[in-house]
Amino acid sequence: MTSINWTQEVEKRQADLIKDAQELLKIKSLLDEENSSPEAPLGEGVKEALDFMLQLGEKDGFNAKNVGNLAGHLEFGQGDEIVGVLCHVDVVPEGDGWTSDPYGAEIRDGKIYARGAIDDKGPTMAAYYAMKIVKELGLPLNKRVRMIIGTDEESDWRCVDHYFEHEEMPAMGFAPDADFPIIYAEKGIADYDLVSKAAGIEKEEFDAEVIEFSSGRRYNMVPDHAKVKLVVQQAQTDVVQRFEEFKKNNELDGKAVVESGKLILELEGVSAHGMEPDNGKNAGLYMASFLSELNLDGNSEKFFKFVAKYLGKDSRGKELGVAYSDDITGDLTINVGKLSYSRDNGGRAGLNMRYPVTTNLEKTKEILNQVLEAEGLSIENFSNSNPHHVDENDFLVQTLKKVYEEQVGEKAELISIGGGTYARSLKSGVAFGPLFPGRPDIAHQKDEYMIIEDLLRATAIYAQAIYELAK
């Protein structure tokens, strides 16, 4: 092991590291296409966060470059090859129920609380300070080290797509955007909508008509809120009583109110990252389940019975006939991130499907289409990011294993995830931290935080890793 005390080097810069992390976390870097401009194509917030990092790097002597206001990089060192550190500064919507301001970056009990604290602004700052340490120590390098900063990781990856159309591809690299020790395999990720058109299905007798229904904002989040507006023909009190009983039986919060003669029902669930839907409580699916038990009008009955049957309590695609698992990445999972229905336009379910690295995607789509065709639905807006897998004997993997084991004193097990990180942009790329084994994964949840002790430990690990990969 090198004689450099990486932990000590981090401690020398601890106050500045925490302060800069807080400043970055205070920026509300949410996708905002409604207020976009050529200077801020994804909104002012994400552009402000990108500018913050580029200006910080420029101040500290890195070569800084803005790439189309969608991404940027900070670089130092010499050599033909590049070691990439792939980060992102955009965040998912904060959601409700926070104990403190989601953009306050408040420190309490040794943790920084903010949206993006663990995903991915805290780790971005850890990796930045790791680069800063290696640079300030003047260590000899044979490769360039480049932090690539994205602004659209939580949505459509337009940032890295644009970046790699115009800039050099690193020979290898890591993304500080998942778990330690080393994530060498990531599932494929497909987003798509299941669509049921308004079909004019007549039904002579029904108790309630669904006017509109909405739940969820992102494919990759478990929705924590659902709202439906109903016209109840008769026995409105009975519907409300059934709703109260449903809430109690499923340990859910919610409310029922009457406005202008229409019954409005709302449910509160528990948000979670879409890579493991079972970690949350999908408010949209619970509400759909409740509605499917009512005597609804023909159009909405068709849609909500479909949702309840095929998606309601099945995150593994068994009911749809697409369940699959392998030894590398585990189960196929399906998160229903968005649900909507209107009397005029019909129903729509936005799915985030994460599939194992050995999945035959075309066969999976064939099976799905057969089920949907029989039920009168179709697929729209299909997008896909292929699975990613790096051989365990790869130089990158072996080097990061060595660094982790030296610093942590534990065996660096190789793991796979359902999440998708920027590491999959590189042929030789892995996700590397920042979440240490045994720590709860609170990404995309309310009261997201990063433990300061872990922020410092990760910085030391990243500093040694950067040096070992680039020397």
Side-chain angles (χ1 to χ4, degrees), residues 48-254:
E48 184 183 347
L50 174 63
D51 286 345
F52 177 89
M53 289 304 302
L54 294 177
Q55 289 163 12
L56 182 65
E58 207 162 22
K59 175 176 70 73
D60 287 335
F62 291 98
N63 295 321
K65 185 174 182 179
N66 181 321
V67 182
N69 293 314
L70 286 165
H73 70 235
L74 301 171
E75 183 179 283
F76 78 106
Q78 301 293 326
D80 295 332
E81 289 191 344
I82 297 173
V83 174
V85 183
L86 286 74
C87 307
H88 69 92
V89 291
D90 59 310
V91 297
V92 297
E94 59 274 16
D96 302 318
W98 283 69
T99 306
S100 55
D101 179 359
Y103 301 100
E106 181 179 307
I107 294 177
R108 57 182 191 272
D109 302 322
K111 303 168 185 171
I112 305 177
Y113 285 85
R115 175 56 85 222
I118 197 75
D119 181 20
D120 185 44
K121 290 180 179 177
T124 294
M125 197 56 71
Y128 175 79
Y129 266 79
M131 287 174 58
K132 184 175 159 80
I133 287 168
V134 175
K135 179 176 174 294
E136 289 178 350
L137 290 176
L139 299 171
L141 303 179
N142 289 318
K143 302 182 184 79
R144 287 172 285 155
V145 178
R146 179 180 291 185
M147 172 178 279
I148 298 169
I149 305 158
T151 61
D152 191 35
E153 195 269 354
E154 298 292 2
S155 294
D156 297 323
W157 285 37
R158 285 163 288 190
C159 48
V160 288
D161 290 344
H162 178 83
Y163 183 86
F164 287 122
E165 283 173 12
H166 296 85
E167 298 294 327
E168 214 175 330
M169 180 76 73
M172 69 188 83
F174 65 86
D177 190 20
D179 296 6
F180 282 125
I182 298 160
I183 290 167
Y184 78 125
E186 300 181 6
K187 291 178 183 176
I189 304 174
D191 291 336
Y192 51 92
D193 295 334
L194 306 185
V195 181
S196 174
K197 302 290 187 186
I201 301 171
E202 298 296 332
K203 189 176 177 184
E204 289 187 9
E205 294 185 7
F206 54 88
D207 298 331
E209 181 181 14
V210 179
I211 307 303
E212 58 185 19
F213 171 99
S214 63
S215 178
R217 290 170 285 186
R218 294 284 180 90
Y219 290 102
N220 65 346
M221 289 182 74
V222 176
D224 61 2
H225 181 79
K227 181 177 181 180
V228 64
K229 185 184 292 186
L230 301 164
V231 173
V232 181
Q233 309 291 346
Q234 55 188 355
Q236 186 166 275
T237 303
D238 178 57
V239 173
V240 172
Q241 286 176 343
R242 289 174 67 177
F243 182 65
E244 293 300 324
E245 189 175 333
F246 180 85
K247 285 194 305 176
K248 183 179 178 182
N249 291 341
N250 290 283
E251 299 180 337
L252 297 168
D253 292 326

Side-chain angles (χ1 to χ4, degrees), residues 180-184 401 404-405 410-416:
F180 282 125
I182 298 160
I183 290 167
Y184 78 125
K401 280 183 72 172
Y404 183 85
E405 288 171 358
E410 296 174 3
K411 187 171 172 55
E413 301 287 354
L414 301 184
I415 52 179
S416 64

Side-chain angles (χ1 to χ4, degrees), residues 160-418:
V160 288
D161 290 344
H162 178 83
Y163 183 86
F164 287 122
E165 283 173 12
H166 296 85
E167 298 294 327
E168 214 175 330
M169 180 76 73
M172 69 188 83
F174 65 86
D177 190 20
D179 296 6
F180 282 125
I182 298 160
I183 290 167
Y184 78 125
E186 300 181 6
K187 291 178 183 176
I189 304 174
D191 291 336
Y192 51 92
D193 295 334
L194 306 185
V195 181
S196 174
K197 302 290 187 186
I201 301 171
E202 298 296 332
K203 189 176 177 184
E204 289 187 9
E205 294 185 7
F206 54 88
D207 298 331
E209 181 181 14
V210 179
I211 307 303
E212 58 185 19
F213 171 99
S214 63
S215 178
R217 290 170 285 186
R218 294 284 180 90
Y219 290 102
N220 65 346
M221 289 182 74
V222 176
D224 61 2
H225 181 79
K227 181 177 181 180
V228 64
K229 185 184 292 186
L230 301 164
V231 173
V232 181
Q233 309 291 346
Q234 55 188 355
Q236 186 166 275
T237 303
D238 178 57
V239 173
V240 172
Q241 286 176 343
R242 289 174 67 177
F243 182 65
E244 293 300 324
E245 189 175 333
F246 180 85
K247 285 194 305 176
K248 183 179 178 182
N249 291 341
N250 290 283
E251 299 180 337
L252 297 168
D253 292 326
K255 62 181 179 179
V257 296
V258 177
E259 291 181 6
S260 305
K262 296 180 177 63
L263 177 61
I264 296 173
L265 306 177
E266 295 187 56
L267 272 182
E268 303 298 326
V270 178
S271 183
H273 196 295
M275 69 178 176
E276 181 41 272
D278 293 348
N279 286 341
K281 278 193 165 186
N282 193 315
L285 290 180
Y286 275 103
M287 186 72 89
S289 176
F290 172 74
L291 294 173
S292 74
E293 297 300 318
L294 301 179
N295 181 19
L296 298 176
D297 65 286
N299 283 335
S300 62
E301 181 179 68
K302 172 193 168 188
F303 178 67
F304 288 107
K305 282 192 179 297
F306 171 87
V307 172
K309 176 182 177 181
Y310 288 99
L311 304 171
K313 294 181 179 178
D314 177 20
S315 65
R316 265 52 186 172
K318 293 174 186 174
E319 293 296 329
L320 289 168
V322 296
Y324 182 72
S325 184
D326 69 20
D327 292 337
I328 302 170
T329 38
D331 293 344
L332 177 148
T333 63
I334 293 177
N335 178 57
V336 185
K338 299 193 280 189
L339 271 175
S340 64
Y341 177 88
S342 74
R343 184 164 52 183
D344 297 330
N345 298 316
R348 184 176 291 264
L351 271 55
N352 177 250
M353 183 176 79
R354 299 177 183 240
Y355 58 93
V357 296
T358 59
T359 302
N360 183 328
L361 184 59
E362 290 308 310
K363 183 179 177 184
T364 300
K365 287 172 71 177
E366 276 179 32
I367 296 168
L368 192 56
N369 277 316
Q370 288 171 8
V371 173
L372 296 177
E373 192 175 336
E375 294 286 348
L377 282 83
S378 60
I379 292 178
E380 291 184 4
N381 304 321
F382 190 93
S383 66
N384 176 56
S385 175
N386 288 324
H388 178 66
H389 181 210
V390 179
D391 189 276
E392 64 180 292
N393 295 314
D394 189 276
F395 167 75
L396 171 72
V397 174
Q398 290 301 313
T399 302
L400 296 182
K401 280 183 72 172
K402 168 182 173 287
V403 170
Y404 183 85
E405 288 171 358
E406 285 180 358
Q407 289 223 22
V408 179
E410 296 174 3
K411 187 171 172 55
E413 301 287 354
L414 301 184
I415 52 179
S416 64
I417 57 167

